[in-house]
Amino acid sequence: MRHTPHYLLHDHDEIRRLVRENPWVTIVSHTADRGIVASHYAFLLDEAASTGDEIVLVGHVGRPDEQAHELGRHEVLLIVQGAHGYISPSWYAEGDIIPTWNHVTAHLYGTPEILTDEQNLKALAELTDHFEQHVVNPRGLHLDPEYSRRVALGTVGVRVRVTRFDARAKLSQNKAPEVVERIIDELEGDGPYNHPGLAREMRRHHDARDS
């Protein structure tokens, strides 16, 4: 990403929160056979392992993506995209005409560890349970263990221990407080570019900065 020091995100807790809230991840590999390969899968934060400065993600890919990405042979990039949206200059002070795009984004780097079949099955069960906990009649892999085990064989589980990251929270830090409030109001409103999630992210960031 473009080097913008005033938007840099260094806080490991904030990176962990971003992963928790945005589990749909883009995996990018620079491979020997295919060049650049990209795929999209759900990843969860390994809460037990992600303490202190450690950030560990667990997920899976469908076969044969593990071969396409050459998983386990080299470093991969995991892109985690948080709230983002268009910011109209009509929300700025008079005479300010340049629009922008606010966003929270993290690039996470690490070499994947391939899980065993049993570890992968456990990770898939936890992934399903993580999302099913919010529905009225949740379903899980435990309801049919043998069928779940067969289906799991079509996937490859991976654990990625993040060795470095490059993250940005570009949330109108260069604007005056009254302009920031107007942007948040517009994002919370009913206009064509409303985005309550981005408004919450902006308010959270600016409240923390001002406290």
Side-chain angles (χ1 to χ4, degrees), residues 27-77:
I27 313 171
V28 182
S29 301
H30 188 190
T31 69
D33 293 340
R34 299 169 181 254
I36 296 174
V37 177
S39 298
H40 312 272
Y41 289 97
F43 275 74
L44 295 182
L45 189 71
D46 185 335
E47 297 287 354
S50 298
T51 60
D53 288 345
E54 294 289 334
I55 301 171
V56 183
L57 285 73
V58 176
H60 69 279
V61 301
R63 296 182 188 276
D65 267 5
E66 84 285 3
Q67 298 175 25
H69 281 272
E70 301 172 351
L71 293 181
R73 292 168 52 184
H74 50 67
E75 185 179 66
V76 300
L77 162 64

Side-chain angles (χ1 to χ4, degrees), residues 89-102:
S90 68
W91 306 340
Y92 295 162
E94 190 69 30
D96 199 342
I97 62 170
I98 306 300
T100 193
W101 201 280
N102 279 1

Side-chain angles (χ1 to χ4, degrees), residues 129-207:
D129 292 345
H130 174 80
F131 292 105
E132 282 293 303
Q133 66 179 315
H134 302 294
V135 304
V136 176
N137 297 303
R139 298 181 184 182
L141 273 58
H142 64 281
L143 295 175
D144 193 337
E146 289 308 312
Y147 175 69
S148 297
R149 189 176 299 277
R150 291 197 302 273
V151 171
L153 292 175
T155 69
V156 174
V158 294
R159 177 181 291 107
V160 180
R161 188 175 300 276
V162 177
T163 54
R164 60 191 176 97
F165 66 80
D166 183 16
R168 301 287 187 279
K170 181 182 179 296
L171 299 168
S172 300
Q173 293 95 323
N174 60 331
K175 297 300 180 184
E178 63 273 15
V179 175
V180 170
E181 281 300 317
R182 188 155 59 248
I183 293 170
I184 292 173
D185 287 344
E186 292 288 348
L187 291 171
E188 290 176 335
D190 57 3
Y193 297 113
N194 71 314
H195 193 322
L198 183 56
R200 286 193 299 273
E201 200 69 40
M202 285 188 62
R203 192 173 298 283
R204 185 177 186 281
H205 179 87
H206 285 277
D207 287 349

